[in-house]
Amino acid sequence: IKLGIEDQTNVLKLGEADNTSSFALLSSEMELIRSRLFFNKVIESVRLNPQYYTVGQILDDEKYHNPPFWVDYELRNFAFYNRRINIDIIDTAKFQLSYTIGEEKFSQEYRFGEVIENDNYRFVISLNRYWNESMGSEHFFVISSHDALINYLESNLTVEPVNFDANIFKISFQDYSLSKAHALVSALDTLYYQYSLEEKNRANRNKIDYLNTQLAETEKKLDDYEKYFEDVTISNRTVSLDEDVRRTVSLINNIDSQRVN
């Protein structure tokens, strides 16, 4: 990402110029992207829950874009966050759901599309229409808590400078799933771009608000001056003070001449 720093020194001819260095600006933008506030925006925009996995002989494989099934969920018990919930697909109509919570082991057969509801959760599990036996039958999913997602982003995101003179920095994300890492980097880039536009618009709105305030104050001053002149005109019963002064001076001169005579 390259920062385009515009030189808007004293646009309104007010106050001193902003002498913030490009180094400080680059550092602050990098810290912004690493902040929890920004991570919250990423979590809202990218589908990170649930995480779907296929059980492998050596490693479990996360299926980010094309999972074997979909889970519509509502958790009512915090103990089920960050917990492995197994799904063994029996056929295109049925599956076995199982999990272990402490000493409790649970296992029961359900049908796809059926509402599974109790005091702990509400699940509706639907089979992906593209699933076939070659994709395996042993799977599981995990619903991560908000804190777990924040820690996941924090641990795998790297934001580092590339060229301080050119105001360029780099965002990278490490994950076992290439498509997931790509989606997160794209989301960070898009969200940062939107944030930059919002900040620029906010700065412009502040300038417009300031100018409108100055216009209102100037208009009030002009109204006060106009009222002052109206009061002077009424109290002196004249519309031309200069002419009155000249006439008064002339009368004084005539009186002085009469006194001298």
Side-chain angles (χ1 to χ4, degrees):
I1 294 178
K2 175 175 173 59
L3 295 182
I5 303 174
E6 298 179 0
D7 185 8
Q8 296 183 345
T9 303
N10 242 0
V11 171
L12 299 176
K13 309 300 180 185
L14 299 169
E16 297 297 326
D18 182 7
N19 294 319
T20 304
S21 68
S22 59
F23 173 82
L25 179 60
L26 192 67
S27 299
S28 67
E29 297 300 284
M30 289 166 57
E31 286 303 314
L32 169 71
I33 293 176
R34 282 192 288 250
S35 70
R36 290 201 161 214
L37 175 66
F38 213 78
F39 288 161
N40 286 332
K41 293 182 179 293
V42 174
I43 291 172
E44 291 172 4
S45 64
V46 180
R47 180 187 59 79
L48 294 176
N49 265 332
Q51 294 106 53
Y52 302 96
Y53 297 87
T54 295
V55 177
Q57 293 181 349
I58 300 175
L59 294 175
D60 297 330
D61 182 24
E62 182 176 3
K63 302 296 184 180
Y64 179 70
H65 269 318
N66 191 31
F69 56 89
W70 305 97
V71 179
D72 181 19
Y73 70 93
E74 177 190 344
L75 286 190
R76 299 164 181 171
N77 184 345
F78 191 79
F80 282 81
Y81 280 108
N82 312 314
R83 183 75 56 184
R84 172 172 171 161
I85 300 175
N86 301 302
I87 300 290
D88 294 330
I89 299 176
I90 299 170
D91 54 37
T92 57
K94 300 185 297 295
F95 65 92
Q96 188 83 13
L97 184 146
S98 62
Y99 55 80
T100 302
I101 299 291
E103 298 297 323
E104 177 192 355
K105 292 185 178 181
F106 176 87
S107 180
Q108 189 166 333
E109 184 178 306
Y110 295 99
R111 299 185 67 83
F112 287 109
E114 178 182 351
V115 177
I116 307 168
E117 188 168 13
N118 55 40
D119 293 338
N120 297 315
Y121 51 76
R122 180 185 183 277
F123 293 150
V124 177
I125 299 175
S126 305
L127 185 67
N128 188 330
R129 61 178 179 172
Y130 296 110
W131 177 85
N132 56 65
E133 293 182 357
S134 65
M135 298 171 66
S137 60
E138 294 184 45
H139 310 278
F140 67 92
F141 68 93
V142 177
I143 301 172
S144 298
S145 66
H146 187 79
D147 285 344
L149 291 176
I150 292 286
N151 292 333
Y152 161 72
L153 293 173
E154 202 168 38
S155 301
N156 294 286
L157 176 69
T158 302
V159 184
E160 57 188 355
V162 175
N163 188 323
F164 279 110
D165 294 330
N167 299 311
I168 296 175
F169 64 93
K170 180 176 70 174
I171 296 174
S172 57
F173 198 88
Q174 180 174 331
D175 194 90
Y176 290 107
S177 170
L178 176 63
S179 57
K180 189 175 183 180
H182 182 273
L184 286 167
V185 171
S186 297
L188 285 162
D189 176 54
T190 301
L191 288 168
Y192 178 72
Y193 177 70
Q194 291 172 349
Y195 166 82
S196 300
L197 286 181
E198 289 171 2
E199 284 299 295
K200 186 173 182 178
N201 289 336
R202 184 181 62 82
N204 288 334
R205 285 195 299 271
N206 288 342
K207 292 174 185 176
I208 292 170
D209 290 343
Y210 172 79
L211 290 174
N212 286 335
T213 301
Q214 293 299 306
L215 285 172
E217 291 179 0
T218 302
E219 185 177 6
K220 184 178 182 303
K221 288 180 181 179
L222 290 175
D223 288 341
D224 291 343
Y225 286 136
E226 185 176 11
K227 186 176 184 304
Y228 168 76
F229 285 121
E230 287 177 356
D231 293 342
V232 169
T233 299
I234 292 171
S235 62
N236 290 279
R237 298 177 182 177
T238 180
V239 293
S240 178
L241 294 177
D242 291 342
E243 184 63 33
D244 284 353
V245 169
R246 284 195 295 270
R247 187 170 64 253
T248 302
V249 171
S250 178
L251 290 171
I252 290 173
N253 287 334
N254 289 334
I255 291 174
D256 284 344
S257 298
Q258 291 176 16
R259 288 179 63 190
V260 169
N261 290 335

